């Protein structure tokens, strides 16, 4: 599972969600997170995506 963090000072408004400044979304689907990797918010450094290491 992935974690999304809004590192900007403004809400990030996306088609299916809004992430408030400083908000952290945990247990976000990895496949959905991978779809966001090319998003402009990520490229601008406003949205941080972290993938949790899978347990063996």
């Amino acid at each position: 599972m992935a974690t999304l963090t809004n590192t900007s000072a403004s809400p990030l408004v996306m088609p299916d969600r809004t992430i408030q400044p400083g908000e952290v979304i945990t247990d976000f689907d990895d496949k959905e997170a991978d779809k966001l990797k090319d998003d402009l918010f990520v490229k601008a450094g406003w949205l941080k995506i972290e993938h949790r290491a899978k347990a063996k």
Side-chain angles (χ1 to χ4, degrees):
M1 299 305 279
T3 300
L4 304 181
T5 305
N6 178 349
T7 60
S8 76
S10 301
L12 301 179
V13 180
M14 298 187 225
D16 56 344
R17 72 184 54 86
T18 298
I19 305 174
Q20 297 301 320
E23 183 177 357
V24 177
I25 299 175
T26 58
D27 297 328
F28 195 81
D29 184 71
D30 283 331
K31 290 179 183 177
E32 291 298 315
D34 286 340
K35 291 178 186 176
L36 292 173
K37 69 180 180 178
D38 293 325
D39 190 275
L40 292 177
F41 292 136
V42 175
K43 290 181 179 185
W46 299 338
L47 181 63
K48 182 177 176 185
I49 300 173
E50 298 174 288
H51 291 278
R52 194 178 323 154
K54 295 181 181 180
K56 292 184 179 182

